[in-house]
Amino acid sequence: MVLEATMICLDYSEWMRNGDYTPTRLEAQRDAVISICLAKTDSSPENNVGILRSSSRGVEVLVTLTPDSGKLLSSMHDHAVSGSFDFLSAVQVAQLGLKHRQNKSLQQRIIVFVGSPVSADTNTLVNLAKVLKKNSVAVDIINFGEETANIDKLEAFISAVNNNENSHLLTIPPGPHNLSDALYGSPILGDGMGFEAAAATGAGTAAPAATGGAAGGGFEFGVDPNLDPELALALRLSYEEERARQEQLNKRNQDQQAQQTTPAATPAPEPSAPTKVKVDAMITDADDELDDEDELAQALALSVQTHQQDLANQNSSSNASTQPTSTTQEDVEMGDEFAEAMALSLQTQQSQSQAKGQEGLHQDPNFLSSVLSTLPGVDPNDPNIQQVLAALGKPKPDEKKDDKDSEKK
């Protein structure tokens, strides 16, 4: 942003009473001046702006160069118009005011509003333009009202003062539009970029709604936070929310695209079938728990099977011989009967041993005493209980007799 000291020259002639601009030329000029003042002071706090006017009373300096926008706005309340506009005197006084600026590093610029016919001839205007160019003063002219009568003179003046496109002529025809609207779309407030470029970069500033200025300008969202801080804050919050929503939406779309482009994951290999180690161990434990009677039964069954195999071998050998005998068939039948008898004897022996074991367990005094001690309210040391347990431990007369018979044998 270029730091500038700007003098604004206003036309307060009788021509400003015309109503071909909304609402009049004077009011349209006033709104445009307010927009320029706010644009200059808000773009940089070091910028200075001064205002002067030309009428039948001559050239009057309303405000000297100042960065205070309040002073600039308060100087616009006087609407007294009279006489004619002296273009040469106004520009010369403006140049003198810029020459005595306090900050010499500020570039010099004059903005002239021309709403009435220019009385000076073209050669005089060109000579003044050359002096301004020599002193590095840029000039912007807003030609409105009598634009067709002044266009040739003003174009010659701008051509003579222009240095590296630092001076501009803006001709605005009459109509319902505001002068400030045209200024925002021009290089004067658009920094030489035209209306579309100025709108894209937000160059310029917005005039207050009460003055009829155009919305937009250099403020973010087109609202001056000094004039309406609540609206500016609401617009900023809405903008931040919308930007966050757009970022989330873009991130979600990127994740979906990444999932679609990623190849499908290979399935994990299924675990192999469990081995039979546990089953074999259980079988081994069960075999180890076989008691003596089961081992005896297996031995008898193996003996019967061996006997049958021997008989079958004898049968096959007898069939191979040339003289078969009838005794072979009889031997096979006897072997089958012997096997059935051995199996029946084995079952009987197992059942008898089981019954005998259970009966002996019920008559064991120690076993009964341990069972009685677990019962609630029973005292195993009671004399009656001890007497019954002692009686159970004595052998019966029949058992004694059998024992004696066995000893005699």
Side-chain angles (χ1 to χ4, degrees):
M1 178 61 67
V2 179
L3 301 180
E4 293 181 335
T6 306
M7 289 295 298
I8 303 176
C9 303
L10 304 181
D11 187 349
Y12 266 62
S13 65
E14 292 290 345
W15 298 84
M16 302 303 292
R17 299 181 187 273
N18 294 341
D20 50 353
Y21 291 84
T22 305
T24 62
R25 293 183 184 181
L26 184 62
E27 291 294 335
Q29 176 184 252
R30 177 175 177 269
D31 294 341
V33 170
I34 292 176
S35 299
I36 294 175
C37 293
L38 293 176
K40 296 295 183 180
T41 56
D42 291 339
S43 61
S44 175
E46 298 184 13
N47 287 343
N48 293 335
V49 180
I51 300 176
L52 59 85
R53 66 182 180 181
S54 175
S55 63
S56 61
R57 293 177 292 185
V59 178
E60 299 175 300
V61 177
L62 301 179
V63 182
T64 58
L65 292 173
T66 177
D68 189 356
S69 60
K71 293 181 179 180
L72 298 172
L73 298 179
S74 62
S75 66
M76 303 296 297
H77 294 302
D78 188 5
H79 299 289
V81 293
S82 62
S84 61
F85 175 67
D86 188 353
F87 182 86
L88 294 176
S89 298
V91 173
Q92 290 174 349
V93 173
Q95 179 190 4
L96 184 62
L98 293 174
K99 182 178 180 181
H100 295 285
R101 66 190 184 280
Q102 294 180 354
N103 188 357
K104 299 299 182 179
S105 63
L106 299 178
Q107 296 186 10
Q108 305 174 80
R109 180 175 296 275
I110 299 175
I111 300 178
V112 185
F113 284 85
V114 180
S116 60
V118 177
S119 59
D121 57 67
T122 305
N123 292 330
T124 306
L125 293 175
V126 170
N127 292 332
L128 178 60
K130 292 180 180 179
V131 174
L132 295 174
K133 182 178 181 181
K134 182 179 180 180
N135 292 280
S136 301
V137 179
V139 180
D140 294 329
I141 299 177
I142 295 93
N143 181 27
F144 67 103
E146 304 299 324
E147 68 278 359
T148 56
N150 298 328
I151 186 67
D152 294 335
K153 295 180 179 180
L154 296 179
E155 285 181 351
F157 178 84
I158 292 297
S159 298
V161 76
N162 189 17
N163 183 16
N164 296 326
E165 301 297 329
N166 65 343
S167 300
H168 309 90
L169 172 63
L170 177 61
T171 301
I172 305 174
H177 50 267
N178 296 324
L179 296 182
S180 55
D181 293 339
L183 286 175
Y184 287 121
S186 69
I188 297 176
L189 291 185
D191 199 18
M193 299 179 294
F195 176 74
E196 295 181 355
T201 57
T205 185
T211 64
F219 298 110
E220 190 176 15
F221 314 116
V223 177
D224 185 0
N226 297 323
L227 300 178
D228 196 347
E230 295 181 356
L231 179 59
L233 179 61
L235 292 174
R236 178 178 291 277
L237 293 177
S238 178
Y239 172 74
E240 295 294 338
E241 291 177 357
E242 180 64 19
R243 185 174 66 177
R245 190 184 68 82
Q246 292 293 339
E247 290 178 356
Q248 292 179 357
L249 182 61
N250 295 335
K251 184 177 180 181
R252 189 181 300 109
N253 294 336
Q254 292 177 1
D255 294 341
Q256 292 178 357
Q257 293 178 0
Q259 292 178 359
Q260 292 177 0
T261 56
T262 303
T266 56
E270 297 181 356
S272 58
T275 58
K276 297 182 179 181
V277 177
K278 294 184 178 181
V279 178
D280 296 339
M282 293 173 62
I283 295 175
T284 304
D285 295 340
D287 293 340
D288 294 340
E289 293 177 357
L290 292 176
D291 54 6
D292 296 339
E293 295 179 357
D294 294 337
E295 293 179 357
L296 179 59
Q298 291 178 0
L300 291 175
L302 182 60
S303 177
V304 172
Q305 185 178 2
T306 304
H307 181 68
Q308 290 179 353
Q309 290 179 356
D310 294 339
L311 293 177
N313 293 332
Q314 292 177 4
N315 188 13
S316 60
S317 61
S318 62
N319 290 333
S321 62
T322 58
Q323 296 180 356
T325 61
S326 60
T327 57
T328 303
Q329 184 176 0
E330 293 178 357
D331 292 338
V332 173
E333 292 177 356
M334 289 178 64
D336 296 337
E337 292 177 355
F338 178 74
E340 292 177 358
M342 291 294 293
L344 181 59
S345 175
L346 178 61
Q347 293 178 0
T348 303
Q349 185 177 359
Q350 289 179 354
S351 60
Q352 290 178 358
S353 61
Q354 292 178 0
K356 184 176 180 180
Q358 293 178 358
E359 181 179 0
L361 183 63
H362 292 164
Q363 293 180 359
D364 188 2
N366 296 329
F367 174 74
L368 294 176
S369 176
S370 62
V371 172
L372 291 174
S373 62
T374 60
L375 297 176
V378 178
D379 187 7
N381 297 325
D382 187 80
N384 296 328
I385 295 176
Q386 293 294 333
Q387 184 178 359
V388 173
L389 294 176
L392 290 175
K394 295 180 181 181
K396 297 181 181 179
D398 296 338
E399 293 178 356
K400 293 180 179 180
K401 187 181 293 184
D402 294 338
D403 294 339
K404 291 179 180 181
D405 293 339
S406 60
E407 290 177 358
K408 290 178 180 181
K409 293 179 180 180

